[in-house]
Amino acid sequence: MKINANEIRAGNIIEHNKNLWIAIKCNTVKPGKGGAFNQVELKHLLYGTKLNERFRASESIEKVRIEQKDFTFLYKKDDVLIFMDTESYEQLELPQYFCKNYAFLKDEMRVTIEFYKKKAVRISLPNQITLTVTEADPTIKRQTAASSYKPAILENGIRILVPSFIQSGERILVDTQNITYLRRAE
């Protein structure tokens, strides 16, 4: 669907230079002299590279319609991730690099895979996941006066910062987008 360049908003997925991009930031500028334009920060949907592009208000851009389907992660084989469609039970194989945070994938985890023209373009993991801390530095006495964080290693091998009261063996909630500690799991 064609839209005017000044209608691009953050979160829109567009086709530009024969690639799919997601708009991260948009800034409409109306200079005193010359025509208005939209300064857009784009992020490549597959590779994550960024691009700053200036679109004139008179330009038309192809806004892409993305189909979303729910899948269940089954397992990882070599560098391939295997998913199962929750409706048709068909299996889908995607390369490991396709999911930037693949270390967060757990068996039987439900994910959303986005398709453009029947081709997978992006995997969306749940925003939060519960993981066990396997290694954490010991707490230093009298370190609780100010909020302090210490490094910890999770069951999937990822290193994050956790509050000083978190010990090895505890289950915590982790934000999969920012890879940060949220709180203790219940």
Side-chain angles (χ1 to χ4, degrees):
M1 154 171 94
K2 293 273 187 189
I3 62 171
N4 287 335
N6 60 348
E7 295 175 2
I8 299 173
R9 300 290 177 255
N12 288 157
I13 297 173
I14 64 170
E15 188 172 344
H16 178 64
N17 295 337
K18 298 181 182 178
N19 286 301
L20 295 180
W21 301 85
I22 185 165
I24 305 296
K25 294 180 188 173
C26 299
N27 185 20
T28 304
V29 179
K30 298 176 185 173
K33 188 175 184 181
F37 61 89
N38 197 356
Q39 184 71 36
V40 183
E41 182 179 329
L42 300 169
K43 184 176 179 183
H44 196 280
L45 206 56
L46 295 177
Y47 306 117
T49 57
K50 290 190 177 180
L51 171 71
N52 281 313
E53 194 70 37
R54 181 179 288 187
F55 296 102
R56 290 182 304 235
S58 60
E59 287 183 71
S60 62
I61 301 296
E62 185 70 31
K63 183 177 176 187
V64 176
R65 185 179 264 326
I66 298 290
E67 179 188 352
Q68 295 182 335
K69 291 184 88 177
D70 288 332
F71 281 78
T72 301
F73 175 68
L74 296 178
Y75 59 93
K76 178 183 172 218
K77 184 175 85 175
D78 299 324
D79 289 340
V80 178
L81 305 172
I82 314 295
F83 298 91
M84 181 182 66
D85 188 333
T86 57
E87 292 176 5
S88 67
Y89 302 108
E90 293 178 20
Q91 289 189 4
L92 175 68
E93 295 183 7
L94 295 173
Q96 178 178 303
Y97 68 82
F98 199 79
C99 180
K100 67 177 183 171
N101 292 335
Y102 69 89
F104 287 114
L105 287 171
K106 289 178 145 184
D107 292 347
E108 303 299 317
M109 177 185 278
R110 293 184 66 101
V111 299
T112 302
I113 299 181
E114 297 176 348
F115 293 88
Y116 174 64
K117 294 183 179 177
K118 308 255 185 230
K119 183 180 177 189
V121 292
R122 184 167 59 172
I123 297 174
S124 298
L125 299 175
N127 291 334
Q128 302 172 357
I129 184 171
T130 303
L131 294 168
T132 304
V133 175
T134 56
E135 290 180 38
D137 291 346
T139 304
I140 300 171
K141 289 185 180 183
R142 296 185 200 92
Q143 194 177 18
T144 57
S147 64
S148 59
Y149 286 81
K150 63 183 182 182
I153 298 176
L154 304 174
E155 65 185 77
N156 59 2
I158 291 183
R159 178 185 291 279
I160 67 168
L161 293 175
V162 296
S164 59
F165 57 81
I166 298 293
Q167 302 298 321
S168 293
E170 287 193 62
R171 296 177 50 77
I172 62 170
L173 227 58
V174 177
D175 181 335
T176 59
Q177 305 302 312
N178 301 324
I179 310 176
T180 56
Y181 166 86
L182 293 173
R183 66 180 182 272
R184 282 182 170 151
E186 298 169 1

